[in-house]
Amino acid sequence: MDPVSRFRDTLRPAVLALLTLAGAFVVLGTGPLGVAPDALLKALAGQGSPEAELALALRGPRLLAALTCGAALAGAGAGFQILFRNPLAAPDLLGVSSGAGLGAALALLLGAGAALVQGAAFVGGLAAGALALACAALTRSGDGRLALILCGVVAGALASAGLGLVVVVAEPYSQLPSITYWLLGSFTRATLPEAVGAVVPVALGAAILVWLGFRLDILSLGDEQARSLGLPARPLRLLALAAAALMTSSAVAVAGVVGWIGLLAPHAARLIVGERAGRLIPASMAIGALFALVIDRLATAFGPAEIPVGLLSAAIGAPAFLILFVATSRRS
């Protein structure tokens, strides 16, 4: 590849990130509390007008939660698709989303506060991912990817069964509505400490996946190919899966179960930056964050009653994914 093409391919993820940042300013600057971009910049620096600071205080946590969760789900989805060489791989491949949903539902059933609900979701997601990884390690299967997928399906099924049991025993007038609303996904209840707290594990998981970079491309060729090039295939694969599970559980802990972002964003990014992991993962995260911003804004655009973002992500993501999947298949 010539230097010009290499520079162009490297620049594309940065352009997508700038578009996402511009989208965030548009969201903050429009609507009932809309303020000018320069006023928002001054408010970020602590020198803004009262109106700008109020808009930032009210919308900032929700905006940060949407950006973080969208980027986390998209980055995890891209990592799973690369590792398993499967364009239909999603962040819930190891049962992480189902485990996080079970943890949050149990906390809501016990009457826990928002912080404990998010903590329980985080622990439940990591526990489901750890169960899938442990079961796959015990199988000692020749095809480690197949064992991981099967064990992830089992872990997700167990978590879904537990979640169904919680829904059955929940009090229908006080507990069940909260559990159902949380499972449908929303960025409404995110506070600034919760949103900032999610940034740290998401950033850690993303840094690991980006650092792996070309190693993920080699791992996607198979363990034997990776070992022939001197790479420890199993430890690197487990590290990548743990990073993706950490990102997914952090997102679900803040926003609930929001689907399709982790499946849709990598396909869109693949059309723009290609297949290489070092560019695909950052581009996927930028597109996922932008998509989360769009559906969060649409959630409040149809009247006083807010539509759960999980419903909107499915309604928009399903047809969009079909179009992108057809386009990607024809390009391949």
Side-chain angles (χ1 to χ4, degrees):
M1 181 181 296
D2 59 276
V4 176
S5 299
R6 187 180 295 109
F7 176 76
R8 183 180 62 241
D9 291 341
T10 305
L11 188 62
R12 287 175 180 175
V15 173
L16 290 173
L18 290 177
L19 287 176
T20 303
L21 182 61
F25 272 93
V26 170
V27 170
L28 284 174
T30 57
L33 294 176
V35 292
D38 58 338
L40 286 175
L41 290 175
K42 292 180 180 179
L44 288 172
Q47 302 175 351
S49 63
E51 293 81 5
E53 292 182 355
L54 178 62
L56 191 61
L58 293 178
R59 293 185 175 183
R62 179 170 182 162
L63 177 73
L64 181 59
L67 290 171
T68 303
C69 295
L73 293 173
F80 282 129
Q81 290 179 16
I82 294 170
L83 280 173
F84 293 101
R85 288 188 295 181
N86 186 348
L88 298 179
D92 195 28
L93 188 65
L94 299 182
V96 175
S97 295
S98 299
L102 175 59
L106 285 173
L108 290 170
L109 184 66
L110 298 175
L116 289 178
V117 169
Q118 290 189 343
F122 184 74
V123 172
L126 288 183
L131 176 62
L133 292 174
C135 291
L138 291 175
T139 61
R140 296 181 179 178
S141 171
D143 190 348
R145 286 170 297 189
L146 178 59
L148 276 170
I149 292 175
L150 294 177
C151 292
V153 170
V154 171
L158 290 174
S160 297
L163 181 58
L165 181 61
V166 170
V167 171
V168 168
V169 303
E171 206 284 322
Y173 297 104
S174 60
Q175 296 174 329
L176 187 57
S178 298
I179 294 174
T180 303
Y181 186 79
W182 192 91
L183 292 175
L184 291 176
S186 176
F187 304 119
T188 306
R189 300 179 181 178
T191 63
L192 185 59
E194 294 166 354
V196 172
V199 171
V200 178
V202 169
L204 176 61
I208 292 174
L209 290 180
V210 172
W211 172 76
L212 288 172
F214 72 93
R215 300 172 183 86
L216 293 178
D217 296 324
I218 297 175
L219 287 175
S220 67
L221 301 176
D223 290 357
E224 292 185 2
Q225 182 71 21
R227 284 192 292 267
S228 68
L229 295 175
L231 292 179
R234 182 177 290 272
L236 289 179
R237 188 182 300 278
L238 291 177
L239 179 61
L241 292 173
L246 178 64
M247 295 169 70
T248 303
S249 58
S250 301
V252 176
V254 172
V257 180
V258 181
W260 287 97
I261 295 179
L263 192 60
L264 175 67
H267 281 271
R270 196 172 284 112
L271 290 174
I272 299 173
V273 301
E275 298 280 352
R276 293 189 178 182
R279 296 194 296 265
L280 179 60
I281 292 174
S284 299
M285 293 180 67
I287 293 176
L290 184 59
F291 183 67
L293 283 180
V294 172
I295 61 174
D296 185 48
R297 187 58 187 271
L298 290 176
T300 59
F302 298 99
E306 181 175 327
I307 302 175
V309 295
L311 296 181
L312 281 176
S313 66
I316 298 174
F321 170 75
L322 181 60
I323 295 171
L324 286 173
F325 186 65
V326 171
T328 304
S329 300
R330 289 185 175 182
R331 182 177 180 179
S332 300

Coordinates of all heavy atoms in Angstrom, one line a residue, residues 52-114:
A52 N -26.2 28.0 29.7 CA -25.3 26.9 29.1 C -24.9 25.9 30.2 O -24.8 24.7 29.9 CB -24.0 27.6 28.5
E53 N -24.6 26.4 31.4 CA -24.2 25.5 32.4 C -25.4 24.6 32.8 O -25.2 23.4 33.2 CB -23.7 26.2 33.6 CG -22.4 27.0 33.4 CD -21.9 27.7 34.6 OE1 -22.6 27.7 35.6 OE2 -20.8 28.2 34.6
L54 N -26.6 25.1 32.8 CA -27.8 24.3 33.1 C -28.0 23.2 32.0 O -28.3 22.1 32.3 CB -29.0 25.2 33.2 CG -30.4 24.5 33.4 CD1 -30.3 23.8 34.8 CD2 -31.5 25.5 33.4
A55 N -27.9 23.6 30.8 CA -28.0 22.6 29.7 C -27.0 21.5 29.8 O -27.3 20.4 29.6 CB -27.9 23.3 28.3
L56 N -25.7 21.9 30.1 CA -24.7 21.0 30.3 C -24.9 20.0 31.5 O -24.7 18.8 31.4 CB -23.3 21.7 30.4 CG -22.1 20.8 30.3 CD1 -22.0 20.2 29.0 CD2 -20.8 21.7 30.6
A57 N -25.4 20.6 32.6 CA -25.7 19.8 33.8 C -26.8 18.8 33.5 O -26.8 17.7 34.0 CB -26.0 20.7 34.9
L58 N -27.8 19.2 32.8 CA -29.0 18.4 32.6 C -28.8 17.3 31.5 O -29.2 16.2 31.6 CB -30.2 19.2 32.2 CG -30.8 20.1 33.3 CD1 -31.9 20.9 32.8 CD2 -31.2 19.3 34.6
R59 N -28.1 17.7 30.4 CA -27.9 16.8 29.3 C -26.5 16.1 29.3 O -26.4 15.1 28.6 CB -28.0 17.6 28.0 CG -29.4 18.2 27.7 CD -29.5 18.8 26.4 NE -30.8 19.2 26.0 CZ -31.2 19.8 24.9 NH1 -30.2 20.0 23.9 NH2 -32.4 20.1 24.6
G60 N -25.6 16.7 30.0 CA -24.2 16.2 29.9 C -24.1 14.7 30.3 O -23.5 13.9 29.6
P61 N -24.7 14.3 31.5 CA -24.6 12.9 31.9 C -25.2 11.9 30.9 O -24.6 10.9 30.6 CB -25.3 12.9 33.3 CG -25.2 14.3 33.8 CD -25.3 15.1 32.6
R62 N -26.4 12.3 30.4 CA -27.1 11.4 29.5 C -26.3 11.4 28.2 O -26.2 10.3 27.6 CB -28.5 12.0 29.2 CG -29.3 11.2 28.2 CD -30.7 11.7 28.2 NE -31.5 10.9 27.3 CZ -32.8 10.8 27.3 NH1 -33.5 11.5 28.2 NH2 -33.5 10.1 26.4
L63 N -25.7 12.5 27.7 CA -24.9 12.5 26.5 C -23.7 11.6 26.7 O -23.3 10.8 25.8 CB -24.5 13.9 26.2 CG -23.6 14.1 24.9 CD1 -24.4 13.9 23.7 CD2 -23.0 15.5 24.9
L64 N -23.0 11.8 27.8 CA -21.8 11.0 28.0 C -22.1 9.5 28.1 O -21.4 8.6 27.6 CB -21.1 11.4 29.3 CG -19.8 10.7 29.7 CD1 -18.8 10.9 28.6 CD2 -19.3 11.3 31.0
A65 N -23.3 9.1 28.7 CA -23.7 7.7 28.8 C -24.0 7.2 27.4 O -23.6 6.0 27.1 CB -24.9 7.6 29.7
A66 N -24.6 8.0 26.6 CA -24.9 7.5 25.2 C -23.6 7.3 24.4 O -23.5 6.2 23.7 CB -25.8 8.5 24.5
L67 N -22.7 8.2 24.5 CA -21.5 8.1 23.8 C -20.7 6.9 24.2 O -20.2 6.1 23.4 CB -20.6 9.4 23.9 CG -21.1 10.6 23.2 CD1 -20.3 11.8 23.7 CD2 -21.0 10.5 21.7
T68 N -20.6 6.7 25.6 CA -19.8 5.6 26.1 C -20.4 4.3 25.8 O -19.7 3.4 25.4 CB -19.7 5.8 27.7 OG1 -19.1 7.1 28.0 CG2 -18.8 4.7 28.3
C69 N -21.7 4.1 26.0 CA -22.3 2.9 25.7 C -22.3 2.5 24.3 O -22.1 1.3 23.9 CB -23.8 2.9 26.3 SG -23.9 3.1 28.1
G70 N -22.6 3.5 23.4 CA -22.6 3.2 22.0 C -21.2 2.7 21.5 O -21.1 1.8 20.7
A71 N -20.2 3.4 22.0 CA -18.8 3.1 21.6 C -18.4 1.7 22.2 O -17.8 0.9 21.5 CB -17.8 4.2 22.1
A72 N -18.8 1.4 23.4 CA -18.5 0.2 24.0 C -19.1 -1.0 23.3 O -18.4 -2.0 23.0 CB -18.9 0.2 25.5
L73 N -20.4 -0.9 23.0 CA -21.1 -2.0 22.3 C -20.5 -2.2 20.9 O -20.3 -3.4 20.5 CB -22.6 -1.8 22.3 CG -23.3 -1.7 23.6 CD1 -24.7 -1.3 23.5 CD2 -23.2 -3.1 24.3
A74 N -20.2 -1.1 20.2 CA -19.7 -1.3 18.8 C -18.3 -1.8 18.8 O -18.0 -2.7 18.0 CB -19.7 0.1 18.2
G75 N -17.4 -1.3 19.8 CA -16.1 -1.9 19.8 C -16.0 -3.3 20.2 O -15.3 -4.1 19.6
A76 N -16.9 -3.7 21.2 CA -17.0 -5.1 21.5 C -17.5 -6.0 20.4 O -17.0 -7.1 20.1 CB -17.8 -5.3 22.8
G77 N -18.5 -5.5 19.7 CA -19.0 -6.2 18.5 C -18.0 -6.4 17.5 O -17.8 -7.5 16.9
A78 N -17.2 -5.4 17.2 CA -16.1 -5.5 16.2 C -15.1 -6.5 16.6 O -14.6 -7.3 15.8 CB -15.5 -4.1 15.9
G79 N -14.7 -6.5 17.9 CA -13.7 -7.5 18.4 C -14.2 -8.9 18.3 O -13.5 -9.8 17.8
F80 N -15.5 -9.1 18.6 CA -16.1 -10.5 18.5 C -16.1 -10.9 17.0 O -15.8 -12.1 16.7 CB -17.5 -10.5 19.1 CG -17.5 -10.6 20.6 CD1 -18.3 -9.7 21.3 CD2 -16.8 -11.6 21.2 CE1 -18.3 -9.8 22.7 CE2 -16.8 -11.6 22.6 CZ -17.6 -10.8 23.3
Q81 N -16.5 -10.0 16.1 CA -16.6 -10.4 14.7 C -15.2 -10.7 14.1 O -15.1 -11.6 13.3 CB -17.3 -9.3 13.9 CG -18.7 -9.1 14.2 CD -19.4 -8.0 13.5 OE1 -18.8 -7.5 12.5 NE2 -20.5 -7.5 13.9
I82 N -14.2 -10.0 14.6 CA -12.8 -10.3 14.1 C -12.4 -11.7 14.6 O -11.8 -12.5 13.9 CB -11.9 -9.2 14.5 CG1 -12.3 -7.9 13.7 CG2 -10.4 -9.6 14.1 CD1 -11.5 -6.7 14.3
L83 N -12.5 -11.9 15.9 CA -12.0 -13.1 16.5 C -12.7 -14.3 16.0 O -12.0 -15.4 15.8 CB -12.2 -13.0 18.1 CG -11.2 -12.2 18.8 CD1 -11.6 -12.0 20.3 CD2 -9.8 -12.8 18.7
F84 N -14.0 -14.3 15.8 CA -14.7 -15.5 15.4 C -15.0 -15.6 13.9 O -15.6 -16.5 13.5 CB -16.1 -15.5 16.2 CG -15.9 -15.7 17.6 CD1 -16.0 -14.6 18.5 CD2 -15.6 -16.9 18.2 CE1 -15.9 -14.8 19.9 CE2 -15.5 -17.1 19.5 CZ -15.6 -16.0 20.4
R85 N -14.4 -14.6 13.2 CA -14.6 -14.6 11.7 C -16.1 -14.8 11.4 O -16.4 -15.5 10.5 CB -13.8 -15.7 11.1 CG -12.3 -15.4 11.1 CD -11.5 -16.4 10.2 NE -11.6 -17.7 10.8 CZ -11.0 -18.8 10.3 NH1 -10.3 -18.7 9.2 NH2 -11.1 -19.9 10.9
N86 N -16.9 -14.1 12.1 CA -18.4 -14.3 12.0 C -19.0 -12.9 11.9 O -19.0 -12.2 12.9 CB -19.0 -15.1 13.1 CG -20.4 -15.4 13.0 OD1 -21.1 -14.9 12.1 ND2 -20.9 -16.3 13.8
P87 N -19.6 -12.5 10.8 CA -20.2 -11.1 10.7 C -21.5 -11.0 11.5 O -22.0 -9.9 11.6 CB -20.5 -11.0 9.2 CG -20.6 -12.4 8.7 CD -19.7 -13.2 9.5
L88 N -22.0 -12.1 12.0 CA -23.2 -12.0 12.9 C -22.9 -12.0 14.4 O -23.8 -12.1 15.2 CB -24.1 -13.2 12.5 CG -24.7 -13.2 11.1 CD1 -25.6 -14.4 10.8 CD2 -25.4 -11.9 10.8
A89 N -21.6 -12.0 14.7 CA -21.2 -12.0 16.1 C -21.6 -10.7 16.7 O -21.5 -9.6 16.1 CB -19.7 -12.3 16.3
A90 N -22.1 -10.7 18.0 CA -22.6 -9.5 18.7 C -22.0 -9.5 20.1 O -21.5 -10.5 20.6 CB -24.1 -9.5 18.7
P91 N -22.1 -8.4 20.8 CA -21.6 -8.3 22.2 C -22.2 -9.4 23.1 O -21.6 -9.6 24.1 CB -22.0 -6.9 22.6 CG -22.0 -6.1 21.3 CD -22.6 -7.1 20.3
D92 N -23.4 -9.9 22.8 CA -24.0 -10.9 23.7 C -23.5 -12.3 23.4 O -24.1 -13.3 23.9 CB -25.5 -10.8 23.6 CG -26.2 -11.5 24.8 OD1 -25.5 -11.6 25.9 OD2 -27.3 -12.0 24.7
L93 N -22.5 -12.4 22.6 CA -22.0 -13.8 22.2 C -21.7 -14.7 23.3 O -21.9 -15.9 23.3 CB -20.8 -13.6 21.2 CG -20.4 -14.9 20.5 CD1 -21.5 -15.4 19.6 CD2 -19.1 -14.7 19.7
L94 N -21.1 -14.1 24.4 CA -20.7 -14.9 25.6 C -21.8 -14.8 26.7 O -21.5 -15.2 27.8 CB -19.4 -14.4 26.1 CG -18.2 -14.5 25.2 CD1 -16.9 -14.0 25.9 CD2 -18.0 -15.9 24.7
G95 N -23.0 -14.3 26.3 CA -24.0 -14.2 27.4 C -23.8 -13.0 28.3 O -24.5 -13.0 29.4
V96 N -23.0 -12.1 27.9 CA -22.7 -11.0 28.8 C -23.9 -10.1 29.1 O -24.3 -9.7 30.2 CB -21.5 -10.1 28.3 CG1 -21.3 -8.9 29.2 CG2 -20.3 -11.0 28.2
S97 N -24.7 -9.8 28.0 CA -25.8 -8.9 28.2 C -26.9 -9.6 29.0 O -27.5 -8.9 29.8 CB -26.4 -8.5 26.8 OG -25.5 -7.7 26.1
S98 N -27.1 -10.9 28.8 CA -28.1 -11.6 29.5 C -27.7 -11.7 31.0 O -28.5 -11.5 31.9 CB -28.3 -13.0 29.0 OG -28.7 -13.0 27.6
G99 N -26.4 -11.9 31.3 CA -26.0 -11.9 32.6 C -26.1 -10.6 33.3 O -26.5 -10.5 34.5
A100 N -25.8 -9.5 32.6 CA -26.0 -8.2 33.2 C -27.4 -7.9 33.5 O -27.8 -7.3 34.5 CB -25.4 -7.1 32.2
G101 N -28.3 -8.3 32.6 CA -29.7 -8.1 32.8 C -30.2 -8.9 34.0 O -31.0 -8.4 34.8
L102 N -29.7 -10.1 34.2 CA -30.1 -10.9 35.4 C -29.6 -10.2 36.7 O -30.4 -10.1 37.6 CB -29.5 -12.3 35.3 CG -29.7 -13.2 36.5 CD1 -31.2 -13.4 36.8 CD2 -29.0 -14.5 36.3
G103 N -28.4 -9.7 36.7 CA -27.9 -9.0 37.8 C -28.7 -7.8 38.2 O -29.0 -7.6 39.4
A104 N -29.0 -7.0 37.2 CA -29.8 -5.8 37.5 C -31.2 -6.1 37.9 O -31.8 -5.5 38.8 CB -29.9 -4.9 36.2
A105 N -31.8 -7.2 37.3 CA -33.2 -7.6 37.7 C -33.2 -8.0 39.1 O -34.2 -7.7 39.9 CB -33.7 -8.6 36.7
L106 N -32.2 -8.8 39.6 CA -32.1 -9.3 40.9 C -32.0 -8.1 41.9 O -32.7 -8.1 43.0 CB -31.0 -10.2 41.1 CG -31.1 -11.6 40.5 CD1 -29.8 -12.4 40.6 CD2 -32.2 -12.4 41.3
A107 N -31.2 -7.1 41.5 CA -31.0 -5.9 42.4 C -32.3 -5.1 42.5 O -32.7 -4.7 43.6 CB -29.9 -5.0 41.9
L108 N -33.0 -5.0 41.4 CA -34.3 -4.3 41.4 C -35.3 -5.1 42.2 O -36.2 -4.5 42.9 CB -34.8 -4.1 40.0 CG -34.1 -3.0 39.2 CD1 -34.5 -3.1 37.7 CD2 -34.3 -1.6 39.7
L109 N -35.3 -6.4 42.1 CA -36.2 -7.2 42.9 C -36.0 -7.1 44.4 O -37.0 -7.1 45.2 CB -36.1 -8.7 42.5 CG -37.0 -9.7 43.1 CD1 -38.4 -9.5 42.6 CD2 -36.6 -11.1 42.8
L110 N -34.8 -6.8 44.8 CA -34.4 -6.7 46.2 C -34.6 -5.2 46.7 O -34.3 -4.9 47.8 CB -33.0 -7.2 46.5 CG -32.8 -8.6 46.2 CD1 -31.3 -9.0 46.4 CD2 -33.6 -9.5 47.1
G111 N -35.0 -4.3 45.8 CA -35.2 -2.9 46.1 C -34.0 -2.1 46.3 O -33.9 -1.1 47.0
A112 N -32.9 -2.5 45.5 CA -31.6 -1.8 45.6 C -31.7 -0.4 44.9 O -32.6 -0.2 44.1 CB -30.5 -2.6 45.0
G113 N -30.8 0.5 45.3 CA -30.7 1.8 44.6 C -30.1 1.7 43.3 O -29.6 0.6 42.8
A114 N -30.0 2.9 42.6 CA -29.5 2.9 41.2 C -28.0 2.4 41.2 O -27.6 1.7 40.3 CB -29.6 4.3 40.7

